[in-house]
Amino acid sequence: TNQIVGPWMSMVGTVRRGALEEYVEACERAVPMPAHAIGGNLSCLGELARAELYFARGHLKTAEQFVMLTLQRTRERNQYDIRNRALLYLLRIAFAEGDYAKTEQAIRELKRQLEVPDYPARYLTYDIVMGWYRLMLGEPELVADWLKTDFEQGSTSSFIEVFGNRIKMRYFFLNRQYHKLLAFLEGWQEAKRYLFGRLYVKTREAICRYQIKDRDGALASLREAWEMCHANEIVSVFAELGKDMRTLTTAALRDKNAGIPRDWLENINRKSATFAKRQQTVIAAYRKANHLGDEIRLSPRETEVLADLYQGLSRPEVAVVRNLSINTVKLIVNTLYTKLGANNISDIIRIAVEKKLIR
C-alpha cells in the first residue's frame, strides 16, 4: 500500500524564520522509524521536503539534486505517491529553467507509474500532475474533466482533493472565471492551515483582484503574501505566476503606498519575467516537437494586443488603451514573438494575417 501525501511536503503553519528548516530536519529524524514499521511508506518524505524547501527559495540546482535522490530511492522502495510528487517538482524545475527535454523525462516517468497495479491512486495523481503540465503549456482543454468541475471544500477534503483544487485554481484563472475563483479562495480553510497553502491563496487572490480592476485589493493581498514569505525567503510561489505576477509587481512598484519593500518587488518582478520567458521557451519546443506549429493559440490578452498592433498602435498606445503598464505590453509582445516565430512587429502582423489570427 501507499500513504497519500499532501500537495505541500511542509506542513508548517508559522511564518517564523527557520521554521521550514526545522520541519525538514524533524522529518529526516522522525520518518525512518515509523516508515520501517509500516513497510517503508513515507521513507523518502524527508528528501522531498528538502527539495521543496530549496525549490521554494529558487535554488533550482540544489532542489533538483534532492528531487533526483527522491526519485532514485522511491524507485528502490516502491514509494509511488512520493515519486509522483517528485516528478511534479521535476516538471516545475524544468519550466523554471526553460528545459523542454527535462519535461519529457518527467512525463515518461509519470506514465510508467500508470503501469503499477498496486498503486491505487495512480490515475488521480497522474491527472493532477498532467493537469499542471497542460495548464502551463496553455492547453486547458486537455485537463482531465474532473479537474474542470467545482472546487472541493471542507474540513473533510482529502489530500487528493486539496491537490486537485490547486489545479482547478489555475484552470479557472486561465478561463477568466475570477469571481468564482475569489469566492473559493476566501473560504478555502483546508489550505490555510499551512504556510504554503496560505501563500497560494494570497498570491492567487492578488492576481485575480488585479484582473477585475480591484487594484487596492490586489496590492493588499500581495502585501499579506510578502509578510508571510520574506522571513523564509520564499520566491517560487510568486515567480511561477509569470507574466501575471510581473504585471502586478510592476503596478506595486509604481504605487508609493504599496507598503512592500522596493527591493523585494524588483526581485520578484525580475524572477517572474524570467519564468514567463522560460515557460514560453518550453511551450515553443513542445509545439515544435509535436508538430503544432500551424496551430497557434493566443490568450485573450495576447489577441487584444495583437489586434491593437494590427491597427497601427504603438506599444505605449496599447498600454493606454488596455490599461496596462508598458512593461506588461512589452512582455506580451515578446510572447507573440515566441509563439509566432517573428523577429519584429512587421513579422508579427504578417504571420498573424497568414495564420488568420486577425479578423
Side-chain angles (χ1 to χ4, degrees):
T1 61
N2 249 271
Q3 174 69 40
I4 303 298
V5 297
W8 300 284
M9 298 304 106
S10 176
M11 298 299 173
V12 165
T14 177
V15 301
R16 178 174 53 81
R17 184 185 300 276
L20 295 175
E21 289 94 332
E22 291 172 13
Y23 178 86
V24 172
E25 291 164 2
C27 279
E28 291 171 338
R29 291 194 307 269
V31 163
M33 186 174 294
H36 177 74
I38 58 176
N41 286 343
L42 300 181
S43 60
C44 303
L45 187 61
E47 292 93 333
L48 189 53
R50 191 164 289 280
E52 179 178 66
L53 172 61
Y54 283 113
F55 179 81
R57 290 178 171 166
H59 304 318
L60 302 180
K61 295 301 182 185
T62 307
E64 185 173 356
Q65 291 174 8
F66 281 98
V67 166
M68 300 309 291
L69 179 61
T70 303
L71 290 174
Q72 175 189 336
R73 292 183 176 175
T74 51
R75 185 185 299 111
E76 295 168 352
R77 302 170 188 179
N78 298 327
Q79 296 297 288
Y80 309 121
D81 202 65
I82 296 178
R83 184 173 178 78
N84 263 12
R85 301 306 191 263
L87 289 171
L88 176 56
Y89 273 103
L90 186 59
L91 277 175
R92 294 172 73 179
I93 291 167
F95 271 88
E97 293 179 337
D99 189 339
Y100 174 64
K102 196 172 288 180
T103 70
E104 289 188 302
Q105 173 191 355
I107 297 302
R108 283 195 301 270
E109 291 295 322
L110 182 66
K111 289 179 178 178
R112 290 194 183 103
Q113 293 277 88
L114 294 176
E115 301 170 5
V116 181
D118 59 342
Y119 176 27
R122 61 190 182 278
Y123 293 109
L124 291 174
T125 52
Y126 175 84
D127 284 348
I128 287 170
V129 178
M130 285 301 296
W132 185 91
Y133 180 59
R134 293 300 184 189
L135 292 171
M136 295 303 290
L137 290 173
E139 297 182 328
E141 69 280 3
L142 298 182
V143 172
D145 288 342
W146 71 275
L147 291 169
K148 301 175 184 177
T149 60
D150 285 342
F151 294 103
E152 297 289 342
Q153 188 162 217
S155 59
T156 60
S157 296
S158 72
F159 280 136
I160 287 290
E161 290 167 336
V162 174
F163 214 151
N165 280 339
R166 274 179 53 181
I167 309 304
K168 293 178 182 184
M169 286 162 57
R170 185 64 179 168
Y171 176 79
F172 285 119
F173 183 84
L174 288 180
N175 283 282
R176 307 176 85 171
Q177 297 187 46
Y178 307 127
H179 291 284
K180 182 174 184 176
L181 179 50
L182 282 168
F184 166 69
L185 290 171
E186 184 178 349
W188 196 23
Q189 299 303 319
E190 182 68 18
K192 293 176 183 177
R193 294 167 55 191
Y194 315 116
L195 173 58
F196 282 121
R198 295 198 299 275
L199 277 171
Y200 265 76
V201 168
K202 284 301 169 185
T203 52
R204 274 61 183 179
E205 276 185 3
I207 60 173
C208 278
R209 292 193 182 284
Y210 197 78
Q211 291 294 328
I212 62 173
K213 311 301 182 185
D214 179 9
R215 182 189 179 94
D216 291 342
L219 293 181
S221 293
L222 183 62
R223 185 165 54 250
E224 288 184 63
W226 166 74
E227 290 169 350
M228 285 186 263
C229 80
H230 71 90
N232 286 291
E233 302 173 356
I234 299 170
V235 297
S236 291
V237 69
F238 300 90
E240 277 189 322
L241 291 173
K243 61 183 181 181
D244 295 299
M245 183 53 64
R246 188 182 192 279
T247 299
L248 179 56
T249 50
T250 297
L253 283 165
R254 297 165 62 184
D255 191 318
K256 296 180 180 179
N257 299 314
I260 307 171
R262 187 173 186 84
D263 59 345
W264 184 87
L265 287 170
E266 290 173 343
N267 182 43
I268 296 301
N269 189 276
R270 286 192 300 271
K271 289 183 180 299
S272 56
T274 298
F275 184 90
K277 291 177 183 176
R278 291 177 176 170
Q279 179 183 6
Q280 287 303 319
T281 298
V282 172
I283 291 171
Y286 164 81
R287 296 185 68 78
K288 182 177 180 180
N290 290 277
H291 309 290
L292 299 174
D294 292 333
E295 185 185 351
I296 298 171
R297 296 175 182 172
L298 302 180
S299 70
R301 179 171 289 176
E302 290 161 358
T303 301
E304 292 169 352
V305 170
L306 176 59
D308 292 338
L309 295 174
Y310 179 67
Q311 294 296 326
L313 274 63
S314 67
R315 287 174 225 198
E317 289 170 334
V318 173
V320 172
V321 169
R322 297 296 173 187
N323 194 26
L324 301 171
S325 73
I326 185 62
N327 287 329
T328 298
V329 173
K330 288 178 180 178
L331 184 62
I332 293 171
V333 171
N334 286 337
T335 300
L336 291 173
Y337 283 148
T338 301
K339 287 190 174 183
L340 275 63
N343 298 313
N344 51 49
I345 296 295
S346 297
D347 259 359
I348 286 179
I349 300 304
R350 176 182 58 78
I351 296 170
V353 170
E354 289 174 358
K355 301 293 185 183
K356 299 182 179 179
L357 298 173
I358 297 174
R359 298 174 182 173

